[in-house]
Each structure stands twice: as structure tokens, then as C-alpha cells.
Amino acid sequence: MMNQDILTKMKSRLLEEKVRLEQDLSDIGKKDAYHPGHFKPTFPESGGNSEDDNAIEVTAYADELSLGAKLESELRDVLNALLAMEKDTYGVCKYCQKEIDLKRLEARPTSSACIACKKTLTQEL
């Protein structure tokens, strides 16, 4: 089991990351009232009506949709890691139930799989 000092440190990092991700998501849009946990990017309005202006707006919106999906995924990982801490399962591989190496967790605090299981999974894909 992980000692309390390490857990406290990891929780602090995860909470900071949660705040950052929520801020980044709110910078590109607003919370989706119909889909909890999701954000809707705001469609950029340049004020112009030319084909070039419209193309720029659509491209910017598509970029924000992609970025929003990535940020939402990262936020879900952070929330899942925090939930695992509450359940006392943080730092335990969800596949083999062995402890995840501390160096892996320090590099990626949201890790839910040990290196061996992650390698196996990525080879299967």
C-alpha cells in the first residue's frame, strides 16, 4: 500500500490538474446542460460573412471540438483517479490488481494500469 505522504502529494497534483482542465474547457465553451461532464465549444463569430471568414470560423470550431474532447478525456482520467483514492484502490492496476510502480504514477498520476498490463493492451490494439 502507498504511504499517506505520497497519496497526499498525488491528490494535490490531481486536484491542481482538475482545476486547470476545467479552466481550459471553460475557456473554449460552456458546460453542456444536457450531457453532464461535457462541454460545448462556443462557435467563433468573426463578424465577417465572406467564404474565407466562414471557413476560418468552421476550422476554429472543429479545432476546439477536438481539443475539447481531449480535455474532457483527461478530466475523466483525473476524476477516476480521485475516485480511486476515495475507494482506496489508487495505485492498484485495474487488470492484474498489483501495485502500479510509483515512478509510473509520478510520471502519470492518472495511471490505472501497471506497465506490464498497459504494454499487453497496446500490443493487442
Side-chain angles (χ1 to χ4, degrees):
M1 239 12 208
M2 207 174 295
N3 78 38
Q4 195 58 44
D5 288 340
I6 293 171
L7 275 174
T8 301
K9 177 182 165 189
M10 297 307 245
K11 185 172 186 175
S12 176
R13 285 182 61 192
L14 288 165
L15 290 171
E16 287 174 14
E17 185 68 1
K18 178 181 180 276
V19 168
R20 185 192 67 79
L21 289 166
E22 288 173 340
Q23 181 60 52
D24 288 351
L25 282 162
S26 69
D27 287 348
I28 62 171
K30 60 183 178 183
K31 288 187 178 186
D32 186 340
Y34 301 104
H35 300 98
H38 292 278
F39 286 73
K40 289 177 67 170
T42 305
F43 192 84
E45 292 288 344
S46 65
N49 237 0
S50 72
E51 285 185 26
D52 286 344
D53 289 335
N54 291 340
I56 290 169
E57 290 170 354
V58 169
T59 300
Y61 184 67
D63 289 347
E64 289 186 355
L65 280 175
S66 177
L67 176 60
K70 182 181 180 307
L71 293 172
E72 282 181 358
S73 175
E74 290 176 17
L75 181 58
R76 269 191 304 278
D77 289 347
V78 167
L79 294 174
N80 286 336
L82 290 168
L83 183 62
M85 284 182 172
E86 288 178 21
K87 294 179 176 182
D88 289 329
T89 58
Y90 181 76
V92 176
C93 178
K94 66 182 179 181
Y95 301 105
C96 69
Q97 311 309 311
K98 294 180 182 172
E99 280 194 32
I100 299 171
D101 186 66
L102 182 57
K103 288 182 182 180
R104 176 165 172 73
L105 289 172
E106 287 174 342
R108 188 171 182 271
T110 57
S111 295
S112 60
C114 68
I115 292 173
C117 289
K118 190 67 173 178
K119 282 182 182 176
T120 302
L121 285 171
T122 53
Q123 287 173 355
E124 290 175 4
L125 300 175

